[in-house]
Amino acid sequence: EAQPATSDDEADGPWLPAAFSWQVEPCMHPMVTQEERGYIRERLQELSGSVRASGNLSLFLQQDLQLRLANVPEDDDMEEAYARLCLSPRSALRRCFEETVQRRARTSAEYVYVQDGYVMSMGGKKVVKLQLFLDDVAHRVSVCWNWDVRLEAATPQD
């Protein structure tokens, strides 16, 4: 169950979930290799480790938002930046997962994305469907990338 924000500054903000988990769907694009599935699972584990290091998902997403807001250029309109950066917990987690997948990709990171919902591939993209659970509520997402790209890590994970 989602927990209410606790500080005075956050009282009007969204309620943020405290935990997340995932489940990779067994049905996926036939050209997706075991190594690519493993890469996606490793990125989920990496994100999970970052969440644990922050304390919980609520704190992780709050820290992520604060970092993004701190990096807004001074000449940008803060109201617009806030509206652009403040997402629902589900969308913020999807964005963080997408960035983790892209950041660690060996090649073609700009062509890898995580789409809300389940995407049906018509042959041009490889797709791995999974569910992200935020406090036991399932949110479907699809990891998509070009069919001719091998999704793998740039360097071995430490």
Side-chain angles (χ1 to χ4, degrees):
E1 179 171 298
Q3 300 295 317
T6 55
S7 76
D8 292 339
D9 294 337
E10 300 164 343
D12 295 328
W15 286 13
L16 296 174
F20 92 99
S21 59
W22 63 88
Q23 177 181 347
V24 178
E25 296 294 331
C27 249
M28 57 190 75
H29 191 281
M31 292 180 67
V32 174
T33 67
Q34 289 291 356
E35 292 81 12
E36 290 170 324
R37 293 176 204 189
Y39 174 81
I40 291 168
R41 284 189 188 99
E42 288 170 4
R43 300 298 68 81
L44 286 162
Q45 291 167 350
E46 182 179 338
L47 181 59
S48 178
S50 296
V51 169
R52 278 193 309 277
S54 295
N56 62 39
L57 184 59
S58 178
L59 293 172
F60 173 78
L61 294 176
Q62 289 170 2
Q63 291 168 3
D64 177 69
L65 175 60
Q66 293 306 314
L67 181 62
R68 290 174 193 279
L69 289 172
N71 288 317
V72 171
E74 288 183 24
D75 57 339
D76 275 10
D77 181 351
M78 275 309 280
E79 277 189 41
E80 287 180 20
Y82 193 80
R84 182 178 68 247
L85 296 172
C86 291
L87 303 174
S88 69
R90 177 179 108 180
S91 295
L93 182 62
R94 185 207 52 79
R95 174 179 62 192
C96 290
F97 177 50
E98 179 178 78
E99 290 170 352
T100 301
V101 171
Q102 291 172 340
R103 184 177 56 252
R104 299 279 296 173
R106 181 171 166 241
T107 60
S108 303
E110 65 274 14
Y111 299 112
V112 180
Y113 59 94
V114 179
Q115 179 74 39
D116 281 326
Y118 283 171
V119 173
M120 179 182 288
S121 176
M122 302 304 281
K125 301 277 184 204
K126 292 181 186 179
V127 178
V128 172
K129 300 171 186 173
L130 54 106
Q131 294 183 61
L132 299 177
F133 294 91
L134 282 70
D135 283 336
D136 298 325
V137 177
H139 301 285
R140 295 176 172 177
V141 297
S142 299
V143 181
C144 308
W145 68 99
N146 290 346
W147 68 270
D148 59 348
V149 171
R150 181 179 171 96
L151 191 57
E152 58 189 354
T155 59
Q157 190 169 355
D158 298 326

